[in-house]
Each structure stands twice: as C-alpha cells, then as structure tokens.
Amino acid sequence: MKLLSVVGARPQFIKAAVISRAIADLNAAAGDKGHVADVIVHTGQHYDTTMSQVFFDELSIPDPVHNLEVSGGTHGEMTGRMLERLEAVIIEESPDWVLVHGDTNSTLAGALAATKLHVPLAHVESGLRSYNRRMPEEINRIVTDSIADLLFVPTEQARSNLLSEGVPGERIIPVGDVMFDATKFYAPLAEQRSAVRATHGLESGNYVLATVHRAENTDDPARLKQIVMGLSRLSEENTVVLPLHPRTRLALEAAGLLDDVGSSLLLIEPVGYLEMLDLERNARVIATDSGGVQKEAYFAGVGCVTLRDETEWVELVEAGVNVLAGADADRIVAAAEQLRQVDPEPGLYGDGQAGEKVVSALVEVTRQRKRC
C-alpha cells in the first residue's frame, strides 16, 4: 500500500510523526508479508526553520519526498497553487490513499486534489466543528469531511457532528487523537532534552505560557489589543512567556503594540515541539488561541484560557479545564485565576494508539477493495 501524506503546518508535522512511526512499526512486524510506503508531501505552508524543519529534525520524521514550496498569498491563492502542484504529484506517485490532517489550506488542497483525481481520501482529525464559518479552518474542515472516503475522528463529539450532517456511519472510524499519541511518546524526551526553561530562568509552576497566531486575533487590532492588555495584567503576578509567531510579530508592529508587549512579557522565538511540551507541562496556566495547544494543555494537566469566542474542543470546556475568554482582558484575567486548580477528566482522547488504528484501518480497507 502506498500512502501519500500531505502536510504543511506545525500541527500536521506532529501528526505525521505519529503516523510515520506507526507505519515503521507495522512494516517491521510484517517483514516480507507486506509493506506500507509513506510518501510525505510538504506544501511549504510553514517553510522556515523555526516553523518547519525543526519539527522534522527533532521528531525524526522522514524527509518529504516532495516539497511544493507554496507559501504566502491569500487563502485562495495559496490553496490554488497547492492544488495545482499536488495534482501533478498525485499523478506521478499514484498512491492508494491520500491522507490529510486537520484543517489548514494544505488539508483542503490535498483533499480537493485527491477527489478530483478519484484517489481515495482519508482525513485524520475529522468531525471537529466550531460553528464559526468566519474561520477559514472551519470551511476547510467542512469541505474536507464532505468529500473524504474515510473519516478518522478523535472524539465521540466529532463522530456525532458528522452523523448529524448526514455522513454515513461506515465512513466514520473512531481512533482517538494522534496528538495524544505524540504527547505520550515524546514527553519523556522533552523532559530530557529541552533547555528552554533553564535558558530563560523559568521555574516550574511560576509562569504563564501564551500563544497567539490565529487571523481572527492578529488581523483585528481591537482584539489584539485586548489580548495584550489581559496578558500584561497577568504578568504583574507571574512571568508571561510568549513564543512569538511571525504573523503575530508583524501584527503587533503594525498596531504599534510590539514595544509595550516587549516591556511586559517575555518574548522568545518560536520553539520546537519538544521545547513546547516542556513549557506546557511546567506552566501555571496556558493562554492560547491554538486548537492543538488547548489539547496539549489538557494532556499536561494544566488549565487553559482560550483566546477565542468558541472552540472545536467542546469537551474540554465541559470538563472545566478550558475557559473561553475571547479577546477580553477582564475575562482573560478572571479565567486564569479560575484555573489555578484543575482536575483533568481522563480518557477524553482515546488510549494513545490512534496512529496504529489509522494505519491498520487503511491497510484493511485497501485489502478489501483489492479483493473485490
């Protein structure tokens, strides 16, 4: 079986590492009985060292077979260029499956290219819904789910969302969350290898970790200012560490806020996955607009203030470990205080074997189709 995996952004690199490890384990166990080829295609959506190559290096992800070098431009321009180049790659490789992850422009381009070429499409992290169609990620999810042949869902809520939209149940496969697999596997390595806290003099439990990158926050000066005000107020009590995403740096500069942020928060360069895991596991609380970091906070047993008005990870809010604060300084501060103590409910995201379940399902469905 040949699998063509489309990746382009930080969370997808982490998920690809889980799938690649599961494929390697399956191939080792199968010996001469079978082989799964994993052809990784990097669209180039995140292209620099801090947002891309570091993840391949530290997570031991096989080098991409194809790098499309598509980055920048509007959503439509980026997706269109990816689609054009992915079509050529899929024709050249002739895979049994195209596998896409999550909800980025790379996800949508991979899904459209596969479907138009009549190549079976599988979607990891299917069924998530924020019900905010102003988010480009929401549109990417909905379109990808509507055309995928197999939908690997991380939670029961995701499965329910798809069923309510009329997706046939036989296309939906509950596997758990591959990000949980990644955390279980890489957390011990992060503890051994990460020096980020020592470098910046951060004591465990005595800092707030923040990440801000979503367009709804960075492209709206009023929202960005409220978030900065909230984080600055939190810094009066604890150091607030902000790994600064390139988009956020540009937005802060444009809004005239970068100097104020630099004087109240600890700004550091974007960090790799292992460093991020270490920062998350030792934070007092996490404030983020990232979907992936919301889950990583839960895996770390740390409360999360979500800097959005809604979340696709509703089970975290229901469990009381995640508070939606939007872009409101007062709510951000109040939520951080509320989350001083959290007691995470176990088992929300599977058993840590999602990668193996994804690969096994793809192999089995491929065998069935070839027997027909």
Side-chain angles (χ1 to χ4, degrees), residues 107-269:
T107 309
L108 178 61
L112 291 172
T115 303
K116 288 177 179 294
L117 292 170
H118 309 294
V119 175
L121 171 68
H123 183 202
V124 172
E125 205 176 76
S126 290
L128 304 184
R129 297 293 182 268
S130 68
Y131 298 102
N132 176 2
R133 292 204 175 197
R134 292 183 61 83
M135 292 174 57
E137 295 88 351
E138 184 78 352
I139 303 304
N140 294 345
R141 294 177 194 130
I142 292 170
V143 174
T144 300
D145 284 343
S146 71
I147 59 179
D149 297 276
L150 287 184
L151 300 104
F152 295 109
V153 297
T155 65
E156 179 56 34
Q157 181 63 57
R159 178 177 175 273
S160 297
N161 291 342
L162 292 173
L163 290 173
S164 69
E165 294 171 6
V167 176
E170 61 269 21
R171 287 167 53 197
I172 305 170
I173 303 180
V175 293
D177 197 314
V178 292
M179 296 291 279
F180 184 37
D181 295 27
T183 298
K184 286 185 63 178
F185 185 83
Y186 289 109
L189 187 61
E191 188 173 351
Q192 296 169 13
R193 288 179 47 181
S194 176
V196 64
R197 287 187 294 118
T199 299
H200 296 288
L202 299 170
E203 295 182 8
S204 181
N206 284 332
Y207 62 89
V208 175
L209 175 63
T211 75
V212 182
H213 78 280
R214 283 195 182 268
E216 65 192 89
N217 289 327
T218 60
D219 295 355
D220 186 330
R223 288 183 67 91
L224 189 60
K225 184 175 182 179
Q226 279 288 311
I227 290 171
V228 167
M229 288 172 58
L231 296 179
S232 296
R233 284 169 57 186
L234 291 178
S235 73
E236 296 170 5
E237 194 171 312
N238 291 111
T239 299
V240 175
V241 185
L242 177 63
L244 197 53
H245 191 285
R247 173 195 288 166
T248 311
R249 180 181 291 277
L250 291 173
L252 290 169
E253 289 176 344
L257 296 170
L258 187 59
D259 289 342
D260 291 341
V261 172
S263 65
S264 58
L265 311 185
L266 174 59
L267 302 183
I268 64 175
E269 291 299 311

